[in-house]
Amino acid sequence: MTRKHQAGAVIAFLALLTGNGPCAAAGPAQARLEQSLLPAVRIEGRPMPAWSLAERMAHYRVPGVGVALIENGAVAWAGGYGVLHAGQEAPVSADTRFQAASLSKLIAATLTLQQVEAGRLGLDEDVNHALRNWTLPRDDSAGGAPVTPALLLAHRAGVSVSGFEGYAQGAPLPDLGAILDGRAPANSAPVRVTAAPGSAGRYSGGGYMVLQQLIEDVAGQPFEALAQASLFQPLRMERSGYATPTAGVACGHGYDGRPLAGCGNRYPEAAAAGLWSTPADMATWALALSAAYRGEHASPLRPETARRMLSPLVAGGDVGLGPGVHGKGAGLQFDHAGSNRGFRAYLLMFPETGGGIVVMTNGDGGQELIGEIVRGAASLQGWPGFEPRQRSAVRLPAAQLDARAGDYQAGAFRASVSRVEDHLLLRTPRGTTYAFHPSSGTDYFALEDGSTLVFAEQDGRPVMHLWGMTAVRCDGGERACDGGGP
């Protein structure tokens, strides 16, 4: 099946399975967005590609997507596309629950700040003064500055463990203490202070597990129960929680579009990665925080707390007390991405103007797809900062492009390069493809994510420099590729 015919089949399939497909009656904003996904890069002097959502879902092998579009301080629409489980017919809907992955940290950050407002916790005080059931250890080389909730929220506490792998269905799950100390059955390292607190930014899911312990200690109740009572119920986030749902739940898929064993891993690390939610529920949280920021409400946080949450902790930085923070005035935006095995998610909100979007997918290929959806929405809504980067491309003879074709390998990574009309197509071991256009005889750029690919020679053999790797061409009998994994 050709790519054009494949996209057409997916469009028809989505229209059949959902009430939000391109052939169904849809609101104007929704219908426009479905046909307006944009690349990371546009080529100067050429028409801007405008891809359909169905086409790009097929391209990235993502079976299902949930979207909530926010306009003028309200959810303009929320809907689903595709299916919960590849090979089955149950459709994704506005009520479908996805693993929120690191969007979980936004909830943990809000709960932390609620404890600060209640006077149970000092935002700039040593966490070991408030921890009752565990103490945060530190290496001798970490320096003497204290670890504070503010530093943990902004990923500047020098704390280890960037993220978590999750646990297969049926595997024993560690409790919070085992996760923090890296004890069996935990599959992650101990959470420790390994760098001077406040010295630099270093993303740490482990730091959010410290916050989970801190919240439980000062509030005197389990983290999940507190989230329900203090956030989900007051905001009517009725489809959000930490237990795996039994119905209306998306199944996780790999880069190849196939369902993962058990539909994906479980994440007992609730504060860092364990939330199940919907785009509409996460949009509800973003709207409530934005209203508090503007001083219109005192829920879920007081206005002064919301403003501090949405201010960079370090002058000139781009991380607040939980979310990323960018721009100022009407262009102020906060965001966060999430990545669990088989799931990808992203939340973006402009608190001053009341616009934003939440996208959740049930496929590992969802990261690039989400970027294309968000850029399309930004173009339609006039949000600043998401315009595709403009690059100049040159026309090269077909023979010159063909000379770059072949298989390239760097360690376990093996990719194939082929010519498609006036550019090169790179296929990764995961099956994902990138369209690389030449900016010179040796330099190329990808429309999908702006990556740069440079061809050269090393020890007399053709190589390509890509994503921090140097891959040697191993076709044509010059050197046999020895396999290669994803």
Side-chain angles (χ1 to χ4, degrees), residues 190-279:
V191 178
R192 300 291 185 262
V193 183
T194 58
S199 60
R202 184 171 68 176
Y203 191 84
S204 175
Y208 271 72
M209 298 313 297
V210 176
L211 288 171
Q212 180 173 332
Q213 182 69 69
L214 186 64
I215 291 167
E216 292 191 353
D217 283 354
V218 301
Q221 59 180 306
F223 179 86
E224 293 89 341
L226 184 65
Q228 285 290 343
S230 299
L231 267 183
F232 301 153
Q233 292 175 10
L235 296 182
R236 300 187 65 182
M237 297 171 63
E238 298 171 352
R239 293 176 177 82
S240 297
Y242 297 91
T244 302
T246 57
V249 56
C251 177
H253 297 75
Y255 285 97
D256 58 4
R258 297 178 181 176
L260 297 176
C263 280
N265 287 346
R266 294 176 295 169
Y267 291 81
E269 301 89 357
L275 180 67
W276 287 87
S277 190
T278 67

Side-chain angles (χ1 to χ4, degrees), residues 339-355:
S339 175
N340 279 0
R341 188 165 180 246
F343 295 89
R344 299 293 186 272
Y346 182 69
L347 178 148
L348 168 70
M349 186 72 199
F350 290 82
E352 291 281 7
T353 59

Side-chain angles (χ1 to χ4, degrees), residues 50 89 288 336 386:
E89 294 186 353
H336 210 291
F386 291 88

